[in-house]
Structure formats: structure tokens, C-alpha cells
Amino acid sequence: MYFLAVFVLLGTGLVANCEMHSLTYIYTAFSKPVELPGLHEFTAMGLLDNKMIDYFDSDNQKKVPKQDFMKKQMPVEYWEKGTQSRQSKQQWFKVNIDILIKRMRQNDSDVHILQWRHGCEGETQPNGKLQYRHGTDMYSYDGTDFLSFDDSHSTWVAPTAASEPTKRKWDEVQVLKEYTKGYLETECMDWLSKFVEFGKKIDASMYDLKLFIFLF
């Protein structure tokens, strides 16, 4: 029984050291307003370990926190700048959906969807730091993969003929490839580490509160 207990404790330690965390942002844009409850012409959300931490939509026009630790830890300027960024991305999506509709000779009276998903995944090291493991930067159009970034080779991947013109154009912009790679491997990981730590602080304070209530 003693050896079993030691094995379990060691196993738990190994799992803790290999803990994975992820930060993902998802932007979804419709080519025109959708008259359905809960659907907006444009939405953007941030996910930490698949839990929503911030949100923006075209109707409310404001980036807002969705977790207590985000509201408490991030300053007002963060939300103001985030709102401005989301508003500019909303315009970017609107312009590019129009470009794709024309390129594919589609009927602009139909509803079309452009989505962008990007983020990073890190693994906790024995020293507690997060190490980059994987990055994602991909676009889909009308539910089909349209374009993705190959981080290992710093090139854009076009799975369809319709996305080839975009691939060629973006591959020629070296600064875009460098920025995308740098964001995934460095900036995204910095934010991921910061948000994970913020979450741990809140969890720890809640544990202390529960312990206090239990004791007294």
C-alpha cells in the first residue's frame, strides 16, 4: 500500500509538470446581418483553456471580460484598446468577405461566413514556466478550411484553388510571416502565461476564503 501511494503521488507530480494550457481567439463574421437570436454580424472571443475570458460583438461594440480574474487584473486601458482592435477587425472582415464573394462569383444575397482562429498552446515545465508547443493561425470560409499558417516553415498553406491568390499575396509579405510567427511563439505565449497566473491567483484566494469559512 505504501508503494502504491508513492506511485500515485509521483504520477500526480508528473501530470502537473506536463500540464498543458492554451489561449485561442476566434473571430466570426457574417456577410450580412442574421435575423436569428444570439447571432451577431460579427463576434470575437478569447478562450483560455477553452473557457471564454473576453467577448465582443457588433451590436454591443465593446470588448468585455467574461471571467472575474480578467475583470480584476486587467486595467481599463486594456479593454479600451481591445475594443478599438475588435472594431477595426470587424471592418477588416467586412471588406474581405466582399472580396471573397466577388472572387468566387457568389450571390451576395446569400449569407456567407468568414472565420479566423489563432492562438498558442504551451506546456508547463518543472520550473513552472510555460514552453511553446504549438500555434494555430487559420481561416475558414463558409465552413471550409481556407488558409492556414505553417509555423515550422513560415509559409501559408492553401487547401483550395480559391485560396491560392491569398496565399501567393501573403507569402510575398515577409513582415506578415515574421509577425505571425513571432506572435504565436512569443506574444501569445506571454499573454497565455500572464492569464494562467492571474487565474491561479484567483483560485488560490478562493481556496483561502473557503478554508477561512471552514475553520471559523
Side-chain angles (χ1 to χ4, degrees):
M1 181 64 68
Y2 171 77
F3 290 108
L4 177 60
V6 172
F7 177 78
V8 170
L9 287 173
L10 287 175
T12 303
L14 288 173
V15 171
N17 287 337
C18 297
E19 188 176 23
M20 302 295 292
H21 291 285
S22 63
L23 177 62
T24 307
Y25 291 96
I26 302 175
Y27 304 82
T28 305
F30 291 88
S31 57
K32 63 180 184 177
V34 181
E35 303 300 330
L36 290 173
L39 289 182
H40 306 274
E41 189 173 354
F42 177 79
T43 59
M45 63 183 73
L47 304 174
L48 176 64
D49 295 336
N50 295 319
K51 293 181 180 179
M52 192 185 300
I53 56 173
D54 63 59
Y55 178 80
F56 173 96
D57 66 54
S58 50
D59 292 320
N60 295 306
Q61 289 291 311
K62 187 176 182 180
K63 181 179 178 179
V64 296
K66 285 297 184 177
Q67 297 291 333
D68 287 341
F69 72 86
M70 291 293 289
K71 184 177 182 180
K72 293 177 181 178
Q73 297 288 343
M74 303 309 292
V76 175
E77 292 79 8
Y78 172 84
W79 301 108
E80 291 176 346
K81 290 181 179 179
T83 294
Q84 294 172 3
S85 175
R86 297 295 184 265
Q87 290 172 345
S88 65
K89 284 183 173 64
Q90 180 182 340
Q91 295 304 313
W92 184 92
F93 271 83
K94 187 174 183 61
V95 169
N96 283 278
I97 285 182
D98 290 342
I99 290 174
L100 291 176
I101 290 174
K102 291 182 175 64
R103 179 188 299 175
M104 299 181 186
R105 299 178 181 177
Q106 295 174 319
N107 190 336
D108 58 9
S109 63
D110 295 332
V111 177
H112 301 280
I113 307 172
L114 178 61
Q115 188 174 72
W116 177 31
R117 180 187 184 96
H118 72 100
C120 55
E121 186 176 90
E123 182 178 15
T124 305
Q125 302 301 294
N127 62 4
K129 301 294 184 180
L130 280 174
Q131 183 172 325
Y132 176 80
R133 281 290 177 258
H134 178 70
T136 299
D137 195 308
M138 61 185 302
Y139 296 81
S140 64
Y141 183 68
D142 285 348
T144 301
D145 290 348
F146 182 79
L147 198 71
S148 64
F149 185 71
D150 182 345
D151 184 40
S152 300
H153 301 91
S154 293
T155 187
W156 294 95
V157 178
T160 65
S163 55
E164 282 290 345
T166 304
K167 168 186 164 53
R168 290 193 295 269
K169 182 177 180 179
W170 288 15
D171 273 342
E172 292 175 357
V173 185
Q174 184 63 28
V175 67
L176 175 60
K177 293 188 291 185
E178 292 175 355
Y179 172 80
T180 302
K181 185 177 179 65
Y183 173 82
L184 295 177
E185 297 182 0
T186 304
E187 185 177 346
C188 181
M189 286 300 300
D190 288 343
W191 283 114
L192 173 58
S193 298
K194 182 179 293 187
F195 293 155
V196 168
E197 286 303 312
F198 288 164
K200 286 180 179 178
K201 288 179 182 179
I202 294 297
D203 289 342
S205 64
M206 288 301 294
Y207 174 80
D208 291 341
L209 176 61
K210 291 177 182 177
L211 184 62
F212 178 82
I213 293 173
F214 177 75
L215 291 175
F216 295 93

